[in-house]
Amino acid sequence: MNRRHLTSSILALCGIATLHGCAPETAPLTESEDSAIGSQEQAELGYNPGAGWYVAWSDEFEGTTLNANHWTVLTSNYDPVTNNCNFGTGELEYPRAQNVTVSGGKLILTAERTADNPMDSRCTGYGPRSFYSGRIHSKGKVERRYGKLAASIKIPSGYGMWPAFWTLGANVSTAGWPAAGEIDILEWHSNEPTWMKSATHWYNGGQADWGTGASGGYNLADSFHTYEVEWTASSMVFRLDGNIVSNTYYHNETEFQQPHYILLNLALGGNWYGNPSPASIALPSGVKKTMEVEWVRWYQQGSLPSVSLTNPGFESGMTGWSTWSPNATEAADFSETYNGGHSGAYHLSHWNNASPFEVWTYQPRSGLATGNYKVRAWVRKGGAFDVARLQAKTCGSCAAVGTDLGTYGNWTLVETPAIYVSGGYLELGFHTRASVGNPGNYIHMDDVELIPL
């Protein structure tokens, strides 16, 4: 967001003219005008990328902490990646860690007014900030090019709110802005609350800009909507709730032929609002406003790649698989014929055979590239077990990341949450335990996959 912007009222006149030459300010809507535009309240949204796309990377914001393998939290109004103060746009907020939380399956960026006068010593010439807020980025952790980048986001209403979902070229620290390139998927301005604004910025003898936008016909604030860009080597298409936003951006700039990283932030004021005073921002003391993100996903076209496993369908018995048991009950681990496996004649079974048992059947993999992985497998299960999990862990004594298995009368595809591998090693498989013997209880497992994200 290191630039000025088009407003929707002048998009038709400006076309692809430079943005900073086409951004007159208008007066903010009154509270009654803002609320008069029908807010489209709804449940959190599902999303279908369409045929031929697979999830290459995602963050579903599960648990209670931000995934540090994906994101860096900014804790200052100085950005060490881009080497600027107030993000080059004169914003009024001071990002800090406590304003970035994960709860209820969502990332929550919280803005609030402060009288603390926070300021980074590297930004003394800019004066203290008037608000705290949240800002995260994936620089050095998640950097990709092309594909479909989408998120489900709920933005806050009110004058001065400037929520954004966007990317910067991964070489920004050396190339600088705008030579690294920028893709703005979502930006929102309170004067046009029904509009999703999108833009690109690059270098062409100076700052070059392209912008588009569209009104959904409803206030985008205060309910979830999906925002996306479909990015290829020659074009970008932006969508709001699955609908194409105005014009397609056709390009051949080198800035958009390289990996980019993701940014999510809730800014306040700044040059897009004409550098308003802190007093004019619609965020009174003691009030908090939030930008909530249900998920972020980066899709690629084609078939989902996988890492080769040994004997993943158990057609060769237990070749490639190891077994551990704390009490010599690993006989519960065997391969058998059972009306044909998911895709062949054999599969793995855990069966307590009338006796209590516990067994961990796993395959160790080494030499893996650093990154996130999921384990998938087809499962049938009947009866009760104390533990029944598909799981993976990065060392023998490490905590496992897994999915509890339900009761499945038919073969069902299950998968683990993402697990981050940094040392190249992973153990993956099935952990089950039953403290009461019952020969009618069984788990059949087949066609295991290890998926890089």
Side-chain angles (χ1 to χ4, degrees):
M1 301 193 315
N2 299 347
R3 67 278 164 223
R4 297 181 185 271
H5 300 259
L6 286 171
T7 57
S8 61
S9 59
I10 57 173
L11 276 169
L13 296 175
C14 293
I16 58 172
T18 54
L19 301 181
H20 64 272
C22 303
E25 284 301 311
T26 56
L29 293 172
T30 65
E31 289 297 320
S32 60
E33 289 171 328
D34 189 33
S35 60
I37 299 174
S39 176
Q40 193 187 48
E41 291 293 340
Q42 56 196 24
E44 297 165 16
L45 299 180
Y47 176 80
N48 182 355
W53 295 91
Y54 69 90
V55 177
W57 172 87
S58 71
D59 197 325
E60 307 296 318
F61 301 109
E62 300 167 339
T64 58
T65 59
L66 189 69
N67 189 336
N69 297 314
H70 294 171
W71 306 103
T72 296
V73 178
L74 206 65
T75 57
S76 166
N77 62 318
Y78 173 80
D79 187 342
V81 177
T82 57
N83 190 33
N84 61 24
C85 293
N86 307 333
F87 317 111
T89 53
E91 297 165 25
L92 300 173
E93 77 277 2
Y94 188 96
R96 63 176 185 171
Q98 50 264 61
N99 289 66
V100 177
T101 57
V102 173
S103 177
K106 303 177 187 69
L107 164 71
I108 303 171
L109 306 179
T110 301
E112 56 187 316
R113 190 179 291 270
T114 178
D116 295 347
N117 299 319
M119 179 178 60
D120 193 291
S121 60
R122 292 164 289 189
C123 300
T124 54
Y126 294 86
R129 304 294 88 198
S130 300
F131 303 89
Y132 287 122
S133 192
R135 183 184 183 103
I136 65 173
H137 67 76
S138 69
K139 178 73 175 74
K141 299 177 178 181
V142 179
E143 298 176 355
R144 307 185 69 91
R145 71 170 183 169
Y146 308 151
K148 188 175 289 191
L149 178 57
S152 173
I153 302 174
K154 184 172 76 171
I155 58 178
S157 61
Y159 180 72
M161 299 299 109
W162 186 356
F165 168 40
W166 53 302
T167 76
L168 282 172
N171 66 340
V172 67
S173 296
T174 54
W177 188 92
E182 176 177 336
I183 304 170
D184 300 314
I185 305 164
L186 160 70
E187 294 184 275
W188 182 87
H189 194 295
S190 64
N191 287 357
E192 295 173 300
T194 69
W195 279 73
M196 168 184 170
K197 305 294 184 66
S198 304
T200 62
H201 307 277
W202 68 97
Y203 184 83
N204 185 12
Q207 177 179 333
D209 314 278
W210 177 93
T212 189
S215 172
Y218 41 80
N219 192 343
L220 298 183
D222 300 323
S223 56
F224 280 93
H225 299 279
T226 58
Y227 305 92
E228 70 174 77
V229 61
E230 185 176 329
W231 169 24
T232 74
S234 59
S235 67
M236 294 184 199
V237 176
F238 297 86
R239 293 186 179 91
L240 165 63
D241 291 334
N243 299 310
I244 293 177
V245 173
S246 191
N247 304 314
T248 297
Y249 171 51
Y250 296 99
H251 67 86
N252 60 5
E253 291 78 22
T254 58
E255 290 89 337
F256 305 122
Q257 314 299 329
Q258 63 157 336
H260 278 225
Y261 66 94
I262 307 167
L263 299 97
L264 291 159
N265 63 279
L266 176 52
L268 294 95
N271 61 11
W272 200 20
Y273 279 89
N275 296 306
S277 69
S280 68
I281 303 301
L283 185 55
S285 296
V287 174
K288 295 181 179 181
K289 292 190 175 183
T290 60
M291 172 180 173
E292 301 181 16
V293 184
E294 183 185 11
W295 48 260
V296 181
R297 299 172 188 155
W298 207 319
Y299 296 83
Q300 298 291 337
Q301 286 185 306
S303 300
L304 189 66
S306 63
V307 176
S308 176
L309 298 178
T310 301
N311 189 28
F314 305 96
E315 300 297 305
S316 300
M318 297 304 296
T319 301
W321 295 90
S322 300
T323 298
W324 169 90
S325 175
N327 49 15
T329 57
E330 55 266 62
D333 175 347
F334 60 93
S335 112
E336 65 167 351
T337 301
Y338 184 87
N339 298 329
H342 173 254
S343 64
Y346 295 93
H347 56 263
L348 170 73
S349 288
H350 284 186
W351 179 43
N352 64 1
N353 196 24
S355 301
F357 80 99
E358 180 175 6
V359 63
W360 164 227
T361 300
Y362 65 96
Q363 183 162 151
R365 304 302 298 174
S366 58
L368 298 175
T370 297
N372 289 285
Y373 295 80
K374 286 186 177 181
V375 181
R376 290 179 177 165
W378 289 85
V379 177
R380 293 182 72 242
K381 174 176 172 286
F385 293 80
D386 300 325
V387 175
R389 305 188 83 215
L390 173 66
Q391 66 182 40
K393 52 186 179 177
T394 55
C395 71
S397 60
C398 294
V401 174
T403 296
D404 292 328
L405 303 178
T407 297
Y408 314 111
N410 297 314
W411 285 104
T412 301
L413 185 64
V414 297
E415 67 176 28
T416 68
I419 181 169
Y420 185 72
V421 176
S422 59
Y425 180 82
L426 193 66
E427 295 180 2
L428 58 106
F430 303 90
H431 181 201
T432 61
R433 183 176 69 231
S435 57
V436 177
N438 186 332
N441 298 348
Y442 65 90
I443 305 176
H444 302 308
M445 297 151 281
D446 205 356
D447 296 334
V448 185
E449 294 180 281
L450 177 60
I451 309 296
L453 302 180

